[in-house]
Structure formats: structure tokens, C-alpha cells
Amino acid sequence: MSKLKNYQRKNLWFERVMAITATANLVLVFFDLSYVPWRDFYFRRLPELTRLYDPIKGIEPHRDTKKYLEAVARLEVQVTQTGLISPQVKAKLADLRFLSKEMIETNPFAGAGKSGTLEKIKNRMRERVSKESAKGAFNTFWSQEYLSKHGWNQEIDFFNQKIRPGIAKNYYRKIGENGEFLNNFWIIDLPFVVLFAIELLGRTFFIKRRYSHLSWFEAILWRWYDLLLLIPIWQWLRVIPVTIRLDQAKLVDFYVIRRQIHQGILANFAEEITEIVVVQVINQFQGSIQRGEITRWLLESENVRSYIDINNINEVEAITGLLIKTLVNQVLPKIQPEVNAILCHSIEIACQQLPGYSNIRMVPGLGKAQTQISQQLATQITNNIYAALASTIKDPVAAKLSTQLIEKFTTSFTSEIQKKQVLVEIQSLLNDFLEEVKINYIQRLSQEDIDKILEETRKMRTESSSSLSIRQ
């Protein structure tokens, strides 16, 4: 027992280590999938991260916007060295006006899907210099007259705070030989894939050795969800094996979610399967009726039909005898007062139909005497009937006569229903009845019915497990 516990403990630790590893891989997958949409956030808040991860996604600064910001940096250095009013600064401002016009016309932001950023830059520049044209706004802004009039420091601070971040966020993304954007995430993902592949091979070998009747393919399918950790596409599907592993490793309890998933799947299939099975059974029964199989069964004599008796007992006769004994010995004594009341009432009704009965009721004392006579008569009748039935059960001769009566009744009943007209009518009625059952009950089976059945089944299983644990 201690060896088994040690093995289970070691196995649990292995499952937890692999579950944590798979979770870390899934986090990297989601980070990679979200990197491009969230790059602006990373660029603003975690610039070091973008410098490290941009090469993985094939991202590099766009040369046009990079050239533009480098020109602004050279202008700032030149103003510091020679002042704003100088030939060198004038030449650099002219260069920036040309680069601004080129940026507006060529839109280097389109390749990264950031055309909206360019529109935001143009709008801010229009508002700053009060110009309707974006090109005119940049031409005015990058001029010695405007900058000296409004103050160099104030205007360059505006540019660095409102314009530069939008330009700096722009980038160019390389395209691979397959026509898709370059993505080298496989370099990070490869060690995980190799690890999961080795693990899957080991688990497959262990499963094959434990269940030798399985083929290698079946042994691999035993852990089908682990295959999702190996495929290089649709990597977000790895959430399935990671969830399963976390649950198996008892790191996270997904019982409620798993129960709801199972119930949803069962509810979807159970409704259709139930309808299919029941309707198929009814259709087969209807087919038997239409083919006349029931008719042939009824018309066959006892000598022709082969019937297998497993205990040499006529179950119909035995059940009938048991029911009669229960009725006579247990039921009738309990309901005798009610039977007496019904008989007494019936006798009074019959007496009221006699001529002159109303006159007799007028005679003093006779009305009360008539009621007593009716009660005594009803009691006597029920006692006689009960005594007769009791004696029939105890008397062998009466029991034999009762058996003959049952046999005669069965023979006569069978003989009458074997008449062609009766059989045809029975077949028609049975067929219509089964069709009504399908319409009114089977096809009305709803999702709520299935959910209720599943809930009752789960409750019954829970109660059964609780009672079993209490007994143990």
C-alpha cells in the first residue's frame, strides 16, 4: 500500500510539473497572438519588451518615419548649437517640410494598419496652427517665422508630446517567402513542442504496455488532446489540453464546468437519440402490424406455435391465482363496509320503483324497518359472496372449476378476436394509437425534459454515493 501511495504521489507531482509547463507555454502563445494588436501599449509602457520581441515578429522601425524623427532630432541639435535664426536651421526646416509632405502623400502608416494614427497627427497639427490643409499646417509649423513667434521650446515640446509618439509607434513588418508576415515564435515554441512530443511518446508506450489489445494508433488517441500541443497552427486550441491537465493534476477544480459541458453534450444528443430509438421501436411494431405478423401469431394454434417454458409453470394462471387470493383474503375484508353501503343504496333505489312504495313509507315504523331490512340484506349478500369466494379458493374442486372457467374464457376470447373483421379493426386502431404516441409524446420531447432527467440522474447518483460512503 505504501509503494502504491508513493507511486501515486510521484505521478501527481509529474502531472503538476507538466501541467504548469503547458500553462506557461499557453501564456506565451496568447502573448504572441496578442502582441501585434497590443504593441502600442507595450511600446508605451514596456519599451524594453518591444525591443526584445519586435525581431521575433519581424517588426522593425519604418525607414520613412524613422528618417522623419531623425531629421527632427538633428534640428533640435542645430538649434542648440546655432540658435533658431540661422542658415543651417533654415535648411533643416525646409528638409522637414519636404519630409512632412512626403509622409502625408505616401502614408507609411498603412502597412502597419495605422492610417488612423496619421489622421490623428494631421488633425492635431491643423488645430495647432489653425490651418485646414494638413500640408499647409506642417509647412507653417516647420518655419522660422512660426517657431520664433510662438516660441521654439513651447512648439517643440508640443511636437514631442503630441506628434512624436504617434510617429514613433509606426513600424514595418517583414514578409516571409510564403507571403505571410514573418513570425519566428516557433523558435520559442520548439523546445516546448519537443518536450510534449517526448512526453506523448512515453505515455503512448506506457498505455500500449498496460493495454496490450490496443493498437499504437489507439494508444495515441487515448491522449488525443495532447496532440493539440504539437500542431503549429491554431495554437489557441492548446487551452483544451491545458485545462484538462490542470484538472487532472488537481491544481484547478473544473468539476462544475466539466459537469455543465457533459450535461450540455448529453442533453443535445439524448433528445435526438431518445426520439430515434423510441420512434424506431414504434415503427418496427407498426411494420409488424402492417405485415400481418400479429395476425399470424393470433391465428396459429397452440400446437403450431413453439413456446419455451423454463420452469414448467403457467405464469398466467399462477399470477391470476395469486391476485385472486390477495383480493379475497386481503382486499375484500377491508372494503366490505363500502360494498355494503353501495348494495344498500342499490336496494333502496330498487324498492322505490315498486308500486305503492311511497304509501308504505307513510305507515309509521315501516320506513325505518325497510332501511334496516336493506342493510341486513346488503350485509348478507356481501357475506355470502365473500364466503363463496373463500370456499372457492380452499375447495380443490372449485379451484379446478375456476381454472376451467379461465381457460374457457381465454379460448373464447381468442376465438372471437381471430375473426377477420375484428383483427383488421384491431390492427388499424393499434397503428393509429402508435402514431398518436409518436406525435403527442415522442416528438414533444423537449430540451427541458432531457435537462430534468439528467439532473434527476445526477442527484440520484450523488445520493447513492453519499449513502455508500456512510455505510463504509
Side-chain angles (χ1 to χ4, degrees), residues 309-316 318:
D309 193 348
I310 61 175
N311 55 6
N312 295 323
I313 296 176
N314 190 329
E315 285 80 7
V316 176

Side-chain angles (χ1 to χ4, degrees), residues 392-408:
T392 300
I393 295 174
K394 297 177 181 179
D395 187 1
V397 177
K400 183 178 181 180
L401 293 174
S402 299
T403 302
Q404 292 176 355
L405 174 62
I406 295 172
E407 292 177 352
K408 182 66 176 179

Side-chain angles (χ1 to χ4, degrees), residues 194-243:
V194 172
L195 176 63
F196 295 139
I198 295 174
E199 180 204 13
L200 181 60
L201 290 175
R203 290 182 183 274
T204 303
F205 177 78
F206 178 78
I207 293 171
K208 179 71 171 101
R209 188 178 66 175
R210 186 173 183 180
Y211 305 99
S212 56
H213 64 282
L214 295 177
S215 65
W216 284 104
F217 180 72
E218 291 172 335
I220 293 176
L221 290 183
W222 192 287
R223 301 274 300 191
W224 62 269
Y225 47 85
D226 283 343
L227 295 174
L228 299 176
L229 295 171
L230 309 181
I231 58 177
I233 58 175
W234 302 328
Q235 294 172 323
W236 54 271
L237 287 175
R238 297 184 184 183
V239 69
I240 297 175
V242 169
T243 302

Side-chain angles (χ1 to χ4, degrees), residues 227-281:
L227 295 174
L228 299 176
L229 295 171
L230 309 181
I231 58 177
I233 58 175
W234 302 328
Q235 294 172 323
W236 54 271
L237 287 175
R238 297 184 184 183
V239 69
I240 297 175
V242 169
T243 302
I244 295 174
R245 284 170 174 261
L246 289 174
D247 186 55
Q248 291 176 343
K250 299 180 180 179
L251 292 173
V252 181
D253 188 6
F254 290 109
Y255 171 75
V256 176
I257 299 176
R258 187 172 66 250
R259 186 184 68 181
Q260 291 301 120
I261 293 175
H262 289 172
Q263 180 168 342
I265 295 174
L266 288 176
N268 289 333
F269 284 102
E271 179 179 355
E272 298 180 6
I273 292 175
T274 303
E275 289 186 0
I276 291 172
V277 172
V278 178
V279 170
Q280 185 177 11
V281 172

Side-chain angles (χ1 to χ4, degrees), residues 107-162:
N107 186 12
F109 296 83
K114 293 182 175 296
S115 296
T117 301
L118 177 60
E119 292 301 318
K120 186 183 295 185
I121 291 171
K122 289 157 60 176
N123 290 334
R124 288 180 176 177
M125 190 60 74
R126 290 191 193 102
E127 293 175 359
R128 187 68 178 180
V129 300
S130 300
K131 293 279 187 178
E132 293 184 359
S133 170
K135 293 180 182 179
F138 273 98
N139 286 335
T140 300
F141 185 84
W142 295 121
S143 64
Q144 287 180 322
E145 295 80 4
Y146 178 84
L147 293 175
S148 61
K149 180 180 179 180
H150 293 84
W152 161 256
N153 292 329
Q154 181 179 343
E155 296 305 312
I156 200 65
D157 287 343
F158 160 76
F159 179 86
N160 289 332
Q161 294 175 8
K162 301 296 183 181

